[in-house]
Amino acid sequence: MSGNINRQILLVEKPSGKLGPEHFKMVESAPPEPKDGEALLRVRYISLDAANRAWMHGATYRSAVEANSVMAGGAIAEVVSSKAPGLAAGDIVFGDTGWQEFAAVPAKHLTKMPKLEPMTHLLSVFGIAGLTAYFGLLEIGKPKEGETVVVSAAAGSVGSIVGQIAKIRGCHVVGIAGGTEKCNWLTSELGFDAAVDYKDGAVFKALRAAAPKGIDVYFDNVGGDILEACLPQMNNYGRIACCGAISQYDGTPSAHGPRGVPGLIVVKRLVMQGFIVMDYMKESQRALAELQAWVKSGRLKVQEDIIDGLENTPNALIGLLAGENRGKRMVKL
């Protein structure tokens, strides 16, 4: 890779249906020059998340991605040069660099990261995925020993960690995932007590068998029909942590929202709360200390899905939305 060229991937058109390769193109430009208060970064690993697709619909907790702009995305990057105090060449940072090899980003929007190996853990278990799982489950779900915890998109970057933390906390854990292979992986490798294959179609019945005592905590990554299947099986005073709505992001969403709202929420006295991990960043050191201890002891297994090459980023995101990945998917530059 030449330091005189910056390869970038643009979102050339906002999709009205399913995301496809035709919605992106690669261009080349000169690397940017950092302004005062900025650092020039060389991107090392790009994070791929279902939220990338949601940003194409409109503003969420961040501004929308517009057509003919560099596709947005978080990344682990190395500082090449800095015009900001507190950052120097060689530092490792996390920030919204977009899908490109070089980016000039204001230092106030960057988080300085520790130098550890493998560096990929800074995007998975010690990054946004791990912190999202930790705070969403423990601060909103508030699981107690012996309770039943159900998590959807359980083979994904967040869900796979949620289930393992719930097991560490002494819960009966049920994962919902797509396909027999993923479900077997959850139970045989990650220690889930049971797994439900939503592709079988009979989610409600299978969930009833996997969680015969009902559901105390549901960690929702998908919304839609799976949320609808979980609601009637929630126990009184159950807690639902709303992390994402993957079923609504790509293609045509369900014609109706989850039925039983608000009736079931009222009758069962449920707490249903959405959250953004940034709400808890002041407490991140406490979370990271526990996550690191669990990984070191082997109680928390890390699964990463690493794709090589910036040019493969669009297809890697499309595949993630189709459920190809296990654990955290990222692109190595």
Side-chain angles (χ1 to χ4, degrees):
M1 181 185 72
S2 170
N4 297 319
I5 297 295
N6 183 24
R7 296 191 304 159
Q8 302 172 304
I9 293 182
L10 307 185
L11 178 71
V12 293
E13 179 187 2
K14 290 189 176 187
S16 56
K18 280 194 172 294
L19 186 67
E22 68 274 12
H23 296 116
F24 300 94
K25 73 174 180 181
M26 180 176 283
V27 299
E28 294 183 349
S29 63
E33 288 290 334
K35 301 173 184 176
D36 287 343
E38 293 184 339
L40 175 64
L41 309 176
R42 177 185 175 184
V43 178
R44 300 288 297 276
Y45 292 93
I46 294 174
S47 175
L48 293 179
D49 304 280
N52 292 141
R53 180 67 179 89
W55 301 339
M56 301 176 195
H57 290 292
T60 55
Y61 52 86
R62 55 150 294 147
S63 58
V65 182
E66 300 298 338
N68 293 309
S69 65
V70 175
M71 179 59 202
I76 293 294
E78 182 178 350
V79 176
V80 177
S81 62
S82 174
K83 291 186 177 179
L87 288 178
D91 285 345
I92 302 298
V93 297
F94 174 81
D96 188 351
T97 64
W99 291 6
Q100 56 186 338
E101 292 177 323
F102 293 94
V105 180
K108 64 183 180 181
H109 295 153
L110 298 172
T111 302
K112 193 171 178 179
M113 307 298 286
K115 292 184 179 179
L116 57 78
E117 294 296 336
M119 185 185 292
T120 52
H121 281 19
L122 296 174
L123 274 185
S124 61
V125 67
F126 303 142
I128 296 299
L131 293 173
T132 298
Y134 182 95
F135 288 117
L137 177 65
L138 300 182
E139 296 296 324
I140 296 175
K142 301 184 187 302
K144 303 177 182 67
E145 185 175 353
E147 289 190 326
T148 294
V149 174
V150 172
V151 55
S152 53
S157 59
V158 173
S160 60
I161 298 174
V162 168
Q164 292 186 82
I165 296 175
K167 283 302 299 178
I168 290 169
R169 290 299 173 97
C171 298
H172 177 82
V173 179
V174 180
I176 303 173
T180 302
E181 187 178 344
K182 281 186 178 179
C183 288
N184 289 341
W185 175 67
L186 292 174
T187 55
S188 64
E189 296 293 326
L190 299 191
F192 284 53
D193 295 289
V196 170
D197 181 1
Y198 71 81
K199 292 184 177 180
D200 275 352
V203 174
F204 183 91
K205 184 178 180 181
L207 195 56
R208 174 83 69 184
K213 295 181 180 179
I215 304 168
D216 298 294
V217 179
Y218 173 46
F219 194 104
D220 185 29
N221 285 306
V222 300
D225 294 340
I226 292 178
L227 172 58
E228 183 175 296
C230 290
L231 277 170
Q233 303 190 50
M234 296 294 300
N235 290 328
N236 289 346
Y237 307 103
R239 290 82 68 198
I240 301 173
C242 298
C243 180
I246 297 170
S247 66
Q248 313 297 307
Y249 295 161
D250 199 34
T252 304
S254 174
H256 58 79
R259 288 166 290 196
V261 177
L264 287 169
I265 295 174
V266 174
V267 171
K268 291 175 176 287
R269 286 84 93 199
L270 304 178
V271 173
M272 188 174 186
Q273 181 179 338
F275 73 100
I276 303 295
V277 69
M278 285 70 176
D279 298 341
Y280 298 94
M281 294 310 286
K282 289 182 179 179
E283 302 176 61
S284 63
Q285 291 307 310
R286 167 175 63 84
L288 286 170
E290 278 208 276
L291 290 167
Q292 288 167 350
W294 291 332
V295 170
K296 185 177 181 180
S297 69
R299 300 180 75 190
L300 180 57
K301 296 180 180 179
V302 183
Q303 180 73 20
E304 296 173 340
D305 182 15
I306 302 171
I307 310 294
D308 282 324
L310 179 67
E311 65 278 5
N312 294 319
T313 310
N315 282 332
L317 177 60
I318 293 164
L320 179 144
L321 294 170
E324 289 179 359
N325 63 300
R326 280 189 193 174
K328 177 63 183 176
R329 177 166 278 196
M330 62 190 80
V331 174
K332 179 182 179 182
L333 274 60

